[in-house]
Amino acid sequence: MSRWRRYRIAFETLLIKEVLRFVRIWIQTVLPAAITTALYFIIFGTLIGGRIGEMDGYPYIDFIVPGLILMAVITNSYSNVVSSFFSAKYQRHVEELLISPVPNWVILAGYVGGGMARGVVVGVAVTLVSLLFTEVRVHSYMLTLVVFVLTSVLFALGGFINAVYANSFDDISIVPTFVLTPLTYLGGVFYSIDMLPTLWQNVSLANPVLYMINAFRFGILGVSDIDPRLAVLVILLFIAGLTAFALSLLSRGVGIKN
Amino acid sequence: MHALKVTGLHKTYRGGHVALRGIDLEVEEGDFFALLGSNGAGKSTAIGIVSSLVTKSGGRVLVFGHDLDREPEEVRRCIGLVPQEFNFNQWEPVEEIVINQAGYYGIPRREARARAERMLRQLELWDRRRTQARELSGGLKRRLMIARALVHEPRLLILDEPTAGVDIEIRRSMWAFLQELNRNGATIILTTHYLEEAESLCRNIAIINHGCIVERSRMSELLNRLHVETFVLNLAARLAAAPNLPGYEARLLDPVTLEVRVNRDQGLNRLFELLTEQDVEVVSLRNKQNRLEQIFIGMIDDAREGARAP
Ligand SMILES: Nc1ncnc2c1ncn2[C@@H]1O[C@H](COP(=O)(O)OP(=O)(O)O)[C@@H](O)[C@H]1O
Ligand SMILES: [Mg+2]
């Protein structure tokens, strides 16, 4: 059997396993995001949004749709991989992979693929929920899709690296709570950075999530605080960096081999 | 061809603990081989290195001629591992554990299903195929790990203390299963600290102690040696030559010290009769323990402790 066919089968096996894992527990993995988003729409969109008026020339509810979708993608891609890979370490079934002839990049691809799948499924669920509250007309399907997919890949990679270093269940919630959530909330989900004083505008530009949310918003609405091409470039650079880092962790066996 | 050839294997764990101090080991293709040693001797570490779970600090590993450093994937394809501790996803159904493992070796899904069914039937787990792994009893979990290790039909099966904590009936059926597998051509290496287990299964053994191989021989030869006891006799009068003691192996260490090797089934009465006949007067006698026996006594203590533990 050719080596590539062997890798492909191993990758598919891992991917199916990862997808089944979150689909089986969809009440924990898919439903919460849909419910939270519905609440955001009710509170910020319908109740408060009416008083806020327009933002960047759009009704407030329309303005926050892209950010809310992407926020769900970010959280879910990340947490899928961090909990799945950490649990593989914790229960030691990561050893099933270590003893098999599966190269590290296939292992990484399998887990990241699983995280991406969860991000996409949840993203679609949230989009469907948002359609209950407003119409979503897409400005550029191409850009929307690219940002959607790349963002889920990026945060799935982040979740993987987090899991490699994690030694306890606490360690897998530290980054989401203290890094991811602030970055997302301050990444312009609910406001345009134009509203901020210059100093805070510049500080915001150091936040990678800002680029993703704005690129995604541009894809859907056609408005953005920054150039979407720059945003895509930033995401790609982060993906390349994190991929290289994750592979080096795997090849050194950090956290998984003695 | 050697199924496994290990040279100069070293392992120092992070924190500085030296677990292996230069191990050499050769296992012939088709062999049924035991790696014996008490708790903490370094068995699992050695197995871990060979099966890619532990990174080595030095030395070389060849599996069917493939070098672990240069062709890790080829090495892994040859090996099936049954680890010492349960290491499957507790929430995954039995059947999926086996099918997924096949997938990691590149076996297409349809074929993987067929093989999983075959393995699970053979190990009497088929009825439990939809059960989550955590709901199985200890013995069934062991068998699940064996099914998983065999699904890619490895040429070399390595089992790390496969019968620890398994009751005697299941242990015997597992032995029979492994012997059948070995007859069909698989090379098997198992680690154990039960001499009895190695005795009933294995043709060749190595004993590892404090990270060094201290003994490497055929099982039969080892048993012979273990069944011989050596006594040291202090004599009242000086002798010029060892007395004639038919049936016993005796040699004079010095004119008043005689060393005699006695088979366990021979007994000492006849020895003393022979000595008395030849007017050799014995002042005192002590049992000389050999190094091998000391190691085994250590292992037996371990096994007792293991049996006592909950
Ligand atoms: N991960 C580890 N870190 C540090 N020391 C270890 C580790 N694993 C095993 N050891 C030590 O290495 C020695 C050999 O252990 P092991 O190979 O498990 O022995 P055995 O399997 O023969 O009981 C023991 O002293 C053990 O404490
Ligand atoms: Mg051990």
Side-chain angles (χ1 to χ4, degrees):
Chain A
M1 185 189 320
S2 92
R3 167 191 300 238
W4 293 103
R5 184 164 138 78
R6 188 152 60 73
Y7 292 168
R8 206 198 69 222
I9 292 170
F11 171 72
E12 286 168 4
T13 304
L14 249 178
L15 189 64
I16 293 171
K17 178 172 134 143
E18 282 301 288
V19 170
L20 283 179
R21 194 193 73 90
F22 78 76
V23 168
R24 276 195 191 120
I25 48 171
W26 66 276
I27 293 183
Q28 294 170 49
T29 52
V30 182
L31 200 57
I35 292 176
T36 318
T37 320
L39 290 172
Y40 276 124
F41 281 124
I42 292 169
I43 296 168
F44 292 105
T46 320
L47 298 180
I48 300 178
R51 302 205 179 172
I52 294 176
E54 294 200 337
M55 188 146 320
D56 278 356
Y58 285 86
Y60 189 62
I61 190 166
D62 290 354
F63 180 83
I64 62 172
V65 166
L68 287 179
I69 296 174
L70 210 62
M71 191 160 82
V73 172
I74 289 173
T75 327
N76 282 279
S77 306
Y78 193 94
S79 65
N80 196 69
V81 184
V82 79
S83 46
S84 179
F85 195 69
F86 178 69
S87 131
K89 263 175 53 172
Y90 186 79
Q91 295 187 54
R92 300 182 53 176
H93 59 264
V94 66
E95 293 180 358
E96 293 174 341
L97 286 163
L98 299 180
I99 62 166
S100 325
V102 185
N104 291 334
W105 61 267
V106 172
I107 297 179
L108 184 64
Y111 276 94
V112 168
M116 206 182 105
R118 163 115 164 247
V120 168
V121 167
V122 172
V124 167
V126 169
T127 307
L128 293 177
V129 169
S130 69
L131 290 176
L132 298 175
F133 294 89
T134 179
E135 279 174 45
V136 181
R137 258 188 247 99
V138 177
H139 173 76
S140 158
Y141 279 100
M142 185 63 189
L143 183 65
T144 305
L145 203 67
V146 165
V147 176
F148 190 79
V149 168
L150 289 184
T151 302
S152 64
V153 169
L154 175 53
F155 284 91
L157 280 165
F160 188 87
I161 292 167
N162 188 167
V164 166
Y165 282 113
N167 288 316
S168 70
F169 282 98
D170 284 343
D171 295 346
I172 70 175
S173 62
I174 286 175
V175 177
T177 311
F178 295 103
V179 181
L180 228 48
T181 311
L183 283 184
T184 327
Y185 278 77
L186 300 175
V189 176
F190 298 104
Y191 55 84
S192 159
I193 59 165
D194 283 347
M195 296 168 61
L196 301 175
T198 321
L199 171 70
W200 291 106
Q201 281 192 25
N202 289 332
V203 171
S204 295
L205 290 176
N207 176 1
V209 179
L210 179 83
Y211 294 80
M212 298 166 207
I213 290 179
N214 274 284
F216 195 62
R217 183 174 291 135
F218 187 84
I220 293 182
L221 300 178
V223 288
S224 167
D225 291 341
I226 39 172
D227 186 344
R229 285 168 302 181
L230 175 64
V232 172
L233 186 70
V234 168
I235 304 176
L236 283 174
L237 284 177
F238 268 97
I239 289 180
L242 291 192
T243 304
F245 186 49
L247 286 176
S248 98
L249 289 175
L250 275 175
S251 76
R252 282 181 286 139
V254 177
I256 49 174
K257 281 194 197 187
N258 289 311
Chain B
M1 161 106 78
H2 286 119
L4 176 66
K5 188 168 153 71
V6 160
T7 34
L9 206 57
H10 266 274
K11 176 64 187 180
T12 307
Y13 278 108
R14 242 168 311 179
H17 184 88
V18 182
L20 297 179
R21 305 161 195 270
I23 281 190
D24 297 321
L25 204 58
E26 288 176 5
V27 178
E28 290 291 336
E29 183 166 10
D31 201 355
F32 203 138
F33 188 94
L35 188 57
L36 275 159
S38 56
N39 271 329
K43 304 181 295 293
S44 296
T45 303
I47 298 291
I49 291 172
V50 172
S51 52
S52 301
L53 289 177
V54 176
T55 44
K56 58 184 162 62
S57 313
R60 195 155 177 239
V61 176
L62 293 177
V63 175
F64 292 102
H66 301 294
D67 188 320
L68 181 63
D69 292 322
R70 272 180 296 152
E71 302 171 277
E73 289 179 24
E74 288 309 312
V75 167
R76 291 177 203 162
R77 291 175 75 182
C78 295
I79 298 177
L81 175 71
V82 180
Q84 184 173 354
E85 317 266 350
F86 301 129
N87 70 341
F88 31 66
N89 185 343
Q90 300 284 335
W91 277 271
E92 214 173 351
V94 166
E95 188 180 24
E96 276 173 42
I97 288 176
V98 182
I99 292 174
N100 285 338
Q101 193 67 24
Y104 302 151
Y105 289 86
I107 298 163
R109 205 132 186 109
R110 177 196 294 262
E111 164 80 12
R113 283 187 186 287
R115 287 198 194 191
E117 174 170 354
R118 207 159 60 230
M119 291 322 314
L120 291 176
R121 280 190 192 283
Q122 267 185 47
L123 285 149
E124 292 164 42
L125 277 163
W126 182 242
D127 293 341
R128 310 295 302 273
R129 65 187 176 281
R130 308 232 191 279
T131 311
Q132 289 181 348
R134 69 198 165 104
E135 290 168 18
L136 298 177
S137 67
L140 289 183
K141 282 182 182 166
R142 273 294 148 197
R143 283 197 258 166
L144 172 56
M145 293 211 294
I146 296 180
R148 183 183 62 180
L150 290 175
V151 75
H152 64 288
E153 295 173 352
R155 298 164 76 187
L156 171 62
L157 178 66
I158 303 179
L159 305 104
D160 198 356
E161 308 215 13
T163 56
V166 172
D167 63 43
I168 191 75
E169 230 168 283
I170 296 183
R171 186 179 301 180
R172 298 233 181 269
S173 79
M174 233 150 85
W175 286 357
F177 181 82
L178 294 176
Q179 276 166 328
E180 172 70 20
L181 210 66
N182 179 244
R183 265 195 300 277
N184 291 334
T187 309
I188 300 182
I189 299 177
L190 64 80
T191 77
T192 180
H193 58 229
Y194 302 118
L195 180 60
E196 186 211 354
E197 179 159 84
E199 191 179 336
S200 30
L201 288 173
C202 302
R203 280 189 289 281
N204 289 293
I205 66 139
I207 299 173
I208 181 170
N209 200 28
H210 298 301
C212 300
I213 300 281
V214 292
E215 181 68 39
R216 168 79 175 85
S217 72
R218 298 188 63 77
M219 192 70 227
S220 50
E221 200 179 296
L222 177 84
L223 289 176
N224 278 339
R225 262 192 289 156
L226 276 175
H227 287 141
V228 172
E229 237 173 325
T230 306
F231 291 94
V232 178
L233 314 183
N234 292 316
L235 309 179
R238 299 168 72 87
L239 287 182
N244 179 27
L245 302 169
Y248 297 93
E249 220 180 292
R251 71 195 171 104
L252 217 44
L253 298 182
D254 64 56
V256 288
T257 316
L258 182 67
E259 190 185 274
V260 186
R261 286 158 64 84
V262 181
N263 262 320
R264 292 252 149 105
D265 50 16
Q266 273 179 311
L268 294 177
N269 287 20
R270 177 73 193 134
L271 174 66
F272 279 99
E273 273 172 30
L274 288 168
L275 288 169
T276 312
E277 278 167 20
Q278 292 170 60
D279 287 335
V280 178
E281 196 180 326
V282 177
V283 180
S284 67
L285 155 116
R286 72 185 162 88
N287 184 333
K288 182 174 156 190
Q289 222 178 38
N290 63 34
R291 202 167 50 124
L292 209 55
E293 276 181 321
Q294 281 168 8
I295 290 166
F296 277 117
I297 286 169
M299 283 168 47
I300 288 161
D301 288 346
D302 274 354
R304 280 209 202 102
E305 257 162 48
R308 238 185 281 126

Coordinates of all heavy atoms in Angstrom, one line a residue, chain A residues 136-142 144 219-221:
Chain A
V136 N -29.7 38.3 6.4 CA -28.2 38.4 6.2 C -28.0 38.4 4.7 O -28.3 37.4 4.0 CB -27.5 37.3 6.9 CG1 -26.0 37.4 6.6 CG2 -27.8 37.2 8.3
R137 N -27.6 39.5 4.1 CA -27.2 39.5 2.7 C -25.7 39.5 2.6 O -25.0 40.3 3.3 CB -27.8 40.7 2.0 CG -29.0 40.3 1.2 CD -29.5 41.5 0.3 NE -30.8 41.9 0.8 CZ -31.0 43.0 1.6 NH1 -30.0 43.7 2.0 NH2 -32.2 43.3 2.0
V138 N -25.1 38.6 1.9 CA -23.7 38.5 1.9 C -23.0 39.3 0.7 O -23.4 39.2 -0.4 CB -23.2 37.0 1.7 CG1 -21.7 36.9 1.7 CG2 -23.8 36.2 2.9
H139 N -22.1 40.1 1.1 CA -21.4 41.0 0.2 C -20.4 40.2 -0.7 O -20.5 40.3 -1.9 CB -20.6 42.1 1.0 CG -19.8 43.0 0.1 ND1 -20.3 44.0 -0.7 CD2 -18.4 43.0 0.0 CE1 -19.3 44.6 -1.3 NE2 -18.1 44.0 -0.9
S140 N -19.6 39.4 -0.1 CA -18.6 38.6 -0.8 C -18.6 37.2 -0.2 O -18.0 37.0 0.9 CB -17.2 39.2 -0.8 OG -16.3 38.2 -1.1
Y141 N -19.2 36.2 -0.9 CA -19.2 34.8 -0.4 C -17.7 34.3 -0.3 O -17.4 33.6 0.7 CB -20.0 33.9 -1.3 CG -21.5 34.0 -1.0 CD1 -22.3 34.8 -1.9 CD2 -22.0 33.3 0.0 CE1 -23.6 34.8 -1.6 CE2 -23.4 33.4 0.3 CZ -24.2 34.2 -0.5 OH -25.5 34.3 -0.3
M142 N -16.9 34.6 -1.2 CA -15.5 34.1 -1.3 C -14.8 34.5 0.0 O -14.3 33.7 0.7 CB -14.9 34.7 -2.5 CG -13.5 34.2 -2.7 SD -13.5 32.4 -3.0 CE -11.8 32.0 -3.0
T144 N -16.0 35.8 2.8 CA -16.7 35.3 4.0 C -16.2 33.9 4.3 O -15.8 33.5 5.4 CB -18.2 35.3 3.8 OG1 -18.6 36.6 3.4 CG2 -18.9 34.9 5.1
G219 N -16.7 40.8 4.5 CA -17.2 39.7 3.7 C -18.8 39.7 3.6 O -19.4 39.6 2.6
I220 N -19.4 40.0 4.8 CA -20.8 39.9 4.8 C -21.5 41.3 4.5 O -22.3 41.4 3.6 CB -21.3 39.4 6.2 CG1 -20.9 38.0 6.4 CG2 -22.8 39.6 6.3 CD1 -21.3 37.3 7.7
L221 N -21.0 42.3 5.2 CA -21.7 43.6 5.0 C -21.0 44.5 4.0 O -21.7 45.4 3.4 CB -21.7 44.4 6.4 CG -22.4 43.7 7.6 CD1 -22.3 44.6 8.8 CD2 -23.9 43.5 7.2

